[in-house]
Amino acid sequence: MRIVFDDIKESLAPNFKGGEKSFASRVYSDGKNKMMKGRLEPVASIGLHRHEGNCEMIYVLEGSGKMLYDGGEERLSAGDFHYCPDGHEHSFINDGDSDLVFIAVVPAQ
């Protein structure tokens, strides 16, 4: 099945999961799995949250930022992949000077 994210209307979620500014996303869900193209403008973030009953996989397409993960910090930039397993927590922060664009997959929603 082909999914064209740019054909899906972008929605804005202010202070997503307690983060700063807004999280922009184009989301496809089949009722069980969620796939999205996300965008964080400079200084925007997704707040710290724990995955319970699911995991999340993130692939960075453009830009750079930091991922707070289980009390640590990881630098991510275009071409990097982040995996947050069930029972773990993370927060994504765009501390760069351009948009941070990524693909995220959350199976078994």
Side-chain angles (χ1 to χ4, degrees):
M1 170 181 204
R2 180 174 182 243
I3 298 167
V4 180
F5 285 111
D6 290 340
D7 289 347
I8 299 171
K9 184 179 191 262
E10 184 176 75
S11 62
L12 292 177
N15 308 106
F16 188 67
K17 299 198 182 275
E20 298 295 319
K21 296 180 114 181
S22 292
F23 168 50
S25 64
R26 298 170 189 270
V27 179
Y28 173 82
S29 177
D30 65 3
K32 184 174 180 182
N33 304 291
K34 183 167 49 171
M35 295 152 273
M36 69 192 87
K37 182 176 183 182
R39 182 176 58 81
L40 293 169
E41 64 184 45
V43 188
S45 65
I46 295 171
L48 186 66
H49 61 284
R50 179 174 299 277
H51 282 266
E52 299 290 345
N54 62 36
C55 64
E56 185 170 18
M57 296 160 274
I58 296 174
Y59 181 76
V60 180
L61 298 171
E62 300 172 23
S64 64
K66 66 181 172 182
M67 182 71 71
L68 304 181
Y69 176 69
D70 284 348
E73 183 178 309
E74 303 171 345
R75 295 293 316 163
L76 296 175
S77 58
D80 289 339
F81 187 87
H82 168 78
Y83 174 60
C84 184
D86 184 11
H88 294 261
E89 63 183 13
H90 64 170
S91 171
F92 207 6
I93 302 162
N94 183 352
D95 60 358
D97 56 6
S98 62
D99 283 356
L100 175 57
V101 181
F102 55 94
I103 297 292
V105 177
V106 181
Q109 272 292 319

